[in-house]
């Protein structure tokens, strides 16, 4: 027998191995396979009597990890589907899906050879030979360690065999990310009328046992999580399993605690801090049905449920569902595919649904459920725009000021009332860069075509792409003048200005840098802010996600342009979502919140609608997408290539351009230098592939990728991204 194994190696094919005598392998089993001189864990994909590959030596697989296949038929077909859709190998999809590398311990056993005869051996070996022969399963090598010389003699006489087997190392016991105190299991609250209607519809769909998909659109605080939990409850009662995808576990601890209280014995939290063996252990719990509800970030999509009845994608619009490296899958989109394969119900939840999902609603592929009111009658905040371009405002703020006079007044008034403030700026660092006010040159990374970012506490200039790091200088390297100043806002500078203006206030900052220095910083800061031991929280989008801060009355968006001015057709959508989400943190049941949005362009439709008329955004954005030929109306793919040598890459560009066949399915835009034209010492280009009206994108992609790879030499790297989210 031969087995095709998908290994977590980005190679374009399955690998053929022999199945040793006496071993039974089924598709979906995890196997240990030799690769060069090491062993890797892979998935047995298919079995055949003839080898699918005939060149060279076919090696046997070393061990099988699970007698019952870990991955079921449903999941194997999903992974195949994903490999086809994103044009990558099953091996690389397996790499995205599987625990990376599991450790094994080698065991050797000494067994008696049936055809051997004791009589032919010298008498000095008889005692040991007898002992081995009396044990049909053999003896372990360790037990026989004192008999080294005799074993060698027995081997020479061909009386024994030494068999090598591999065993997974002992798996550690389950641990949760934080020893969070469990809230006492409180009875579920009585649902509001809106919630009850949603739950009834969802339960009816679950009972129907067929694929059905829903958009649950509900403003922040409208009780979506409660609806999810009722749907999960019904799903479990029906004997099926449920999966809840969240953008990031560490930002979702509040929700996870609520789930733990409601479903204490049956929850598996698949977070990124799990080691590979731990992840495998959780997987086995999911596979065996001991865990019936799993929560995790995007890769939990691949958890091996035996009987999946419900998938919930919370904050479905969140960009973190798109994997950027390896297999560039969109977990929300693939949740659609998985739910369809599994005859499961899909719930996409959001306060600010993506255009893709709204288009699916319009096309009748998704039923629309709404929660229009906050639980307990809380009202949404008052929104107000502050035009930063206004000359009087600029004068009042000075060259480097980030807080406008109206925002300062609102902060002072809020602190006076003993309420809290959130200042949001979607850019970390102290200031983006050092800029020369004489010659206008900014300090750039020597490896990447981006400016270096100044980080205050480390007094360093850092590249956010390649980690290049250098000391800040005083003299402009371009013109030699002493004229460099700190240009542009960043959360660290915002924190400094806030502390200077409000010296009495208790201020904390939350962004990737603050969190990376101290693993507990995130949870302790969120808790301190929730418990009102802090007055002002300064932060990036980390603060914008589903937290509930009871004392928060004022949200200040310091510069809306940071997300708006991106070379990305989703920039307006992203800005609208961020502003709506972060503003939605302000105000609760007993008091109305205020959100102040500072911007250079208050008339931009994304801002104007977020501030004045949220319902107006979707029609305007859809009209723009349709007119410009972007998703969700036409699909896109991006072919990236890079070279360490600029002329070589440019020549390849010309060659590729000349070889592109005309197509009725798609148009080709470029190739052109990528917005980040140089990254980590490689020059980068991209070719945008845009579906034509009535065309089918996927008809051109495989031939295009094959052509691009055929034309490329070994030094040119080619990658493809289907439904890209990043255009840098
Ligand atoms: P969302 O996920 O839409 O932001 P949540 O489900 O987190 O909203 O609900 C917001 C708050 O309201 C939570 O504290 C939750 O416990 C509470 N809540 C939800 N539904 C009800 C209800 N029917 N009755 C009382 N409180 C509720
Ligand atoms: Zn760099």
């Amino acid at each position: 027998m031969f087995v095709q194994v998908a290994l977590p190696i980005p190679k374009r094919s399955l690998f053929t191995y022999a199945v040793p005598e006496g071993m039974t392998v089924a598709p979906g089993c995890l196997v240990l396979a030799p690769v060069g001189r090491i062993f890797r864990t892979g998935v047995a994909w298919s079995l055949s009597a003839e080898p699918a590959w005939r060149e060279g030596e076919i090696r046997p697989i070393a061990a099988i990890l699970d007698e019952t296949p870990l991955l079921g038929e449903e999941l194997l077909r999903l992974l195949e589907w994903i490999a086809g859709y994103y044009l990558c190998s099953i091996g690389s999809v397996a790499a995205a899906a599987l625990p990376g590398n599991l450790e094994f311990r080698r065991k050797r056993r000494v067994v008696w050879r049936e055809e051997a005869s004791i009589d032919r051996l010298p008498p000095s070996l008889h005692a040991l030979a007898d002992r081995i022969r009396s044990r049909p399963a053999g003896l372990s090598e360790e037990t026989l360690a004192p008999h080294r010389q005799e074993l060698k003699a027995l081997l020479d006489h061909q009386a024994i065999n030494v068999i090598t087997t591999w065993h997974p190392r002992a798996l550690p016991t389950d641990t949760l990310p934080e020893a969070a105190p469990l809230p006492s299991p409180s009875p579920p609250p009585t649902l509001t009328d809106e919630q009850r209607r949603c739950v009834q519809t969802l339960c009816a769909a679950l009972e129907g046992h067929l694929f059905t998909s829903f958009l649950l659109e509900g403003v922040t605080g409208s009780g979506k999580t409660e609806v999810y939990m009722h749907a999960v409850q019904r799903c479990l009662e029906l004997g099926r399993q449920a999966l809840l995808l969240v953008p990031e576990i560490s930002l979702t601890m509040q929700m996870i605690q609520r789930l733990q209280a409601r479903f204490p014995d049956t929850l598996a939290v698949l977070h990124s801090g799990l080691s590979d063996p731990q992840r495998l252990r959780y997987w086995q719990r999911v596979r065996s049905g001991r865990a019936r509800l799993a929560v995790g970030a995007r890769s939990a999509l691949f958890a091996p449920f035996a009987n999946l009845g419900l998938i919930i994608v919370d904050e479905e619009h969140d960009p973190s569902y798109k994997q950027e490296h390896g297999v560039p899958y969109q977990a929300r989109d693939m949740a659609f595919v998985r739910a369809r394969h599994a005859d499961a119900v899909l719930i996409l939840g959001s306060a600010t649904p993506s255009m893709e999902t709204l288009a699916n609603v319009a096309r009748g592929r998704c039923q629309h459920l709404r929660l229009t009111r906050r639980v307990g009658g809380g009202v949404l905040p008052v929104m107000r725009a502050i035009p930063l371009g206004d000359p009087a405002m600029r004068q009042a703020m000075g060259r480097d000021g980030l807080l406008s006079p109206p925002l300062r007044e609102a902060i002072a008034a809020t602190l006076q009332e003993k309420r809290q403030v959130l200042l949001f700026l979607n850019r970390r660092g102290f200031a983006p860069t050092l800029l020369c006010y004489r010659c206008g040159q900014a300090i750039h990374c020597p490896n990447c075509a981006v400016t270096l970012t100044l980080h205050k506490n480390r007094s360093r200039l850092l590249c956010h792409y390649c980690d290049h790091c250098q000391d800040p200088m005083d003299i402009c390297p371009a013109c030699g003048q002493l004229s460099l100043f700190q240009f542009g806002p960043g959360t660290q500078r915002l924190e400094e200005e806030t502390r200077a203006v409000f010296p009495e206030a208790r201020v904390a900052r939350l962004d990737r840098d603050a969190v990376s220095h101290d693993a507990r910083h995130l949870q302790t800061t969120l808790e301190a802010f929730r418990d009102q031991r802090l007055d002002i929280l300064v932060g990036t989008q980390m603060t914008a996600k589903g937290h509930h801060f009871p004392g928060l009355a004022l949200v200040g968006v310091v510069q809306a342009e940071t997300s708006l001015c991106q070379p990305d057709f989703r920039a307006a959508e992203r800005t609208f979502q961020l502003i709506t989400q972060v503003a939605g943190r302000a105000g609760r049941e007993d008091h109305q919140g205020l959100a102040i949005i500072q911007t250079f362009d208050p008339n931009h439709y994304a801002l104007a609608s977020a501030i004045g008329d949220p319902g107006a955004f979707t029609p305007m954005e859809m009209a723009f997408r349709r007119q410009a030929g972007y998703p969700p109306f036409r699909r896109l793919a991006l072919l990236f290539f890079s070279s360490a040598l600029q002329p070589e890459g440019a020549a390849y560009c010309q060659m590729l351009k000349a070889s592109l066949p005309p197509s009725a399915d798609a148009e080709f835009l470029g190739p052109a230098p990528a917005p980040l034209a140089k990254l980590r010492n490689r020059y980068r280009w991209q070719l945008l592939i845009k579906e034509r009206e009535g065309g089918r994108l996927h008809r051109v992609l495989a031939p295009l990728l094959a052509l691009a790879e055929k034309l490329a030499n070994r030094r040119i790297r080619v990658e493809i991204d289907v439904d890209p989210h990043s255009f840098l």
Side-chain angles (χ1 to χ4, degrees):
M1 270 310 239
F2 296 90
V3 59
Q4 270 65 251
V5 178
L7 290 167
I9 305 172
K11 262 279 170 80
R12 293 195 173 275
S13 59
L14 296 170
F15 294 76
T16 300
Y17 289 90
V19 180
E21 211 55 52
M23 194 186 274
T24 28
V25 181
C29 287
L30 287 194
V31 298
L32 187 69
V35 179
R37 287 157 167 220
I38 58 162
F39 291 86
R40 300 294 303 259
T41 321
V43 185
W45 211 267
S46 55
L47 293 156
S48 55
E50 294 290 312
W53 189 74
R54 297 171 177 285
E55 294 157 53
E57 177 204 6
I58 295 182
R59 301 165 78 182
I61 53 173
I64 157 165
L65 189 68
D66 245 349
E67 300 291 320
T68 49
L70 185 65
L71 310 191
E73 188 64 22
E74 176 257 315
L75 189 50
L76 293 179
R77 296 295 83 78
L78 175 75
L79 298 182
E80 273 171 11
W81 198 96
I82 290 177
Y85 187 82
Y86 292 104
L87 291 100
C88 41
S89 66
I90 286 179
S92 46
V93 179
L98 278 179
N101 207 358
L102 299 166
E103 278 191 81
F104 285 79
R105 198 195 304 277
R106 189 169 69 166
K107 286 205 180 136
R108 307 223 285 187
R109 295 187 79 75
V110 176
V111 293
W112 186 254
R113 286 177 71 152
E114 267 176 41
E115 64 276 22
S117 141
I118 291 202
D119 303 341
R120 274 185 240 136
L121 297 172
S124 61
L125 295 175
H126 283 192
L128 184 62
D130 242 356
R131 193 174 150 204
I132 297 171
R133 197 177 55 168
S134 69
R135 305 286 284 272
L139 285 162
S140 75
E141 200 179 36
E142 296 101 84
T143 329
L144 297 173
H147 303 281
R148 265 231 166 111
Q149 293 305 321
E150 293 155 86
L151 283 180
K152 191 164 176 308
L154 286 173
L155 267 177
D156 290 343
H157 282 94
Q158 303 193 340
I160 56 168
N161 276 336
V162 179
I163 298 173
T164 307
T165 54
W166 295 84
H167 303 267
R169 282 187 188 272
L171 296 173
T173 49
D174 304 348
T175 46
L176 279 169
E178 304 259 310
L182 274 186
S184 52
S186 49
T190 314
L191 296 178
T192 64
D193 286 346
E194 279 190 330
Q195 283 174 320
R196 189 163 342 105
R197 274 196 294 277
C198 293
V199 168
Q200 274 166 357
T201 310
L202 294 168
C203 288
L206 285 161
E207 284 149 19
H209 213 294
L210 286 175
F211 168 64
T212 332
S213 70
F214 297 92
L215 163 62
L216 176 60
E217 182 178 3
V219 294
T220 45
S222 61
K224 291 187 290 298
T225 309
E226 201 50 56
V227 172
Y228 298 159
M229 291 198 289
H230 276 77
V232 169
Q233 181 71 40
R234 188 72 194 117
C235 176
L236 301 190
E237 283 165 9
L238 291 165
R240 302 178 83 189
Q241 292 170 295
L243 167 64
L244 171 60
L245 294 179
V246 296
E248 210 173 318
I249 288 283
S250 60
L251 296 176
T252 324
M253 288 311 287
Q254 255 181 311
M255 183 195 245
I256 289 178
Q257 287 177 6
R258 282 165 73 187
L259 291 169
Q260 273 169 338
R262 194 72 63 87
F263 306 100
D265 304 319
T266 194
L267 178 71
V269 181
L270 302 158
H271 62 93
S272 61
L274 293 177
S275 67
D276 286 330
Q278 279 173 327
R279 198 158 144 218
L280 179 65
R281 187 186 187 82
Y282 272 100
W283 271 31
Q284 286 167 332
R285 286 183 57 196
V286 168
R287 180 67 181 153
S288 68
R290 268 176 297 143
R292 294 165 65 206
L293 167 63
V295 185
R298 59 175 179 254
S299 67
L301 175 71
F302 302 115
F305 295 95
N307 186 7
L308 186 59
L310 172 65
I311 306 180
I312 300 165
V313 183
D314 189 34
E315 310 281 356
E316 64 85 26
H317 63 278
D318 197 284
S320 71
Y321 284 119
K322 172 76 174 184
Q323 163 83 29
E324 295 292 354
H325 303 287
V327 181
Y329 67 93
Q330 213 310 348
R332 177 241 297 147
D333 296 351
M334 293 307 107
F336 226 96
V337 179
R338 185 159 191 189
R340 210 170 54 208
H341 284 213
D343 287 327
V345 168
L346 175 70
I347 307 174
L348 305 175
S350 177
T352 50
S354 64
M355 294 301 124
E356 283 82 355
T357 297
L358 289 169
N360 277 333
V361 168
R363 289 168 188 150
R365 290 194 201 146
C366 219
Q367 288 183 47
H368 203 167
L369 304 175
R370 287 175 209 258
L371 296 173
T372 56
R373 282 185 294 274
R374 281 185 164 180
V375 175
V379 278
L380 291 168
V382 172
M383 311 269 274
R384 195 175 146 203
I386 303 294
L388 289 180
D390 183 86
M393 200 70 73
R394 285 246 57 80
Q395 184 137 44
M397 289 170 73
R399 195 184 60 191
D400 295 333
L402 293 173
L403 302 173
S404 65
L407 181 54
R408 287 182 185 207
E409 282 159 29
I411 295 173
T414 308
L415 296 177
Q416 192 91 56
E417 289 171 21
K418 300 263 175 276
R419 294 198 195 275
Q420 293 170 293
V421 179
L422 173 65
L423 294 178
F424 174 79
L425 179 61
N426 211 15
R427 184 181 254 161
R428 65 201 171 104
F430 183 74
T433 194
L434 290 178
L435 187 78
C436 173
Y437 63 76
R438 280 171 178 269
C439 74
Q441 293 293 306
I443 309 297
H444 281 77
C445 172
N447 309 321
C448 309
V450 295
T451 52
L452 294 174
T453 301
L454 189 66
H455 285 241
K456 181 72 190 313
N457 53 358
R458 285 182 275 172
S459 305
R460 303 292 271 167
L461 283 165
L462 294 185
C463 173
H464 281 190
Y465 291 91
C466 76
D467 268 348
H468 169 84
C469 176
Q470 69 183 60
D471 286 328
M473 60 284 273
D474 298 317
I475 293 174
C476 171
C479 71
Q481 302 286 317
L482 238 171
S483 50
L484 289 174
F485 78 106
Q486 294 170 3
F487 171 77
T491 41
Q492 291 184 29
R493 187 147 76 81
L494 177 60
E495 180 189 9
E496 196 177 85
E497 183 174 333
T498 307
R499 286 184 191 280
V501 180
F502 302 99
E504 309 287 291
R506 296 166 294 176
V507 179
R509 193 184 91 236
L510 209 51
D511 57 24
R512 288 266 164 251
D513 295 310
V515 171
S516 70
H517 291 160
D518 171 7
R520 285 210 40 83
H521 180 80
L522 177 64
Q523 299 309 335
T524 50
T525 310
L526 289 175
E527 269 164 39
F529 198 59
R530 201 177 304 138
D531 299 345
Q532 305 185 39
R533 283 179 279 120
L534 288 170
D535 301 310
I536 305 180
L537 183 62
V538 170
T540 56
Q541 54 178 315
M542 261 191 187
T543 59
K545 309 209 173 170
H547 315 291
H548 295 296
F549 301 124
L552 180 59
L554 171 66
V555 167
V557 176
V558 171
Q559 212 180 79
E561 275 68 27
T562 46
S563 56
L564 206 48
C565 301
Q566 295 289 326
D568 180 347
F569 74 88
R570 288 191 181 86
E573 177 184 353
R574 192 73 199 108
T575 303
F576 175 81
Q577 289 165 345
L578 271 172
I579 290 192
T580 309
Q581 297 272 344
V582 72
R585 306 288 135 225
R588 282 286 135 146
E589 293 89 59
D590 54 339
H591 62 274
Q592 186 169 35
L594 171 64
I596 289 186
I597 321 295
Q598 301 192 142
T599 169
F600 288 98
D601 189 3
N603 296 322
H604 189 286
Y605 70 98
L607 300 177
S609 51
I611 291 166
D613 184 7
F617 180 71
T618 301
M620 283 193 278
E621 182 65 9
M622 288 288 191
F624 155 65
R625 301 285 182 91
R626 184 190 295 278
Q627 191 256 331
Y630 284 132
F633 299 98
R634 293 203 238 156
R635 291 175 181 281
L636 299 178
L638 205 51
L639 188 79
F640 276 106
F641 46 92
S642 67
S643 162
L645 303 170
Q646 206 278 343
E648 188 181 54
Y652 174 78
C653 258
Q654 290 304 319
M655 202 160 55
L656 184 65
K657 200 178 178 79
S659 322
L660 289 174
S663 161
D665 285 301
E667 50 187 315
F668 303 106
L669 305 169
L676 289 173
K678 190 185 175 201
L679 203 58
R680 297 179 195 95
N681 276 321
R682 291 183 72 85
Y683 296 86
R684 307 162 78 238
W685 289 264
Q686 61 194 28
L687 174 72
L688 185 64
I689 306 130
K690 193 176 190 183
E691 194 169 68
R692 288 186 197 277
E693 204 147 6
R696 287 253 309 278
L697 181 73
H698 270 80
R699 275 203 286 246
V700 306
L701 294 184
L704 174 69
L705 186 60
L707 172 73
E709 284 178 344
K710 198 178 105 211
L711 295 176
N713 62 33
R714 289 219 329 269
R715 292 182 301 275
I716 291 180
R717 234 179 265 155
V718 180
E719 284 162 77
I720 195 160
D721 187 357
V722 180
D723 303 334
H725 277 230
S726 167
F727 295 82
L728 295 174

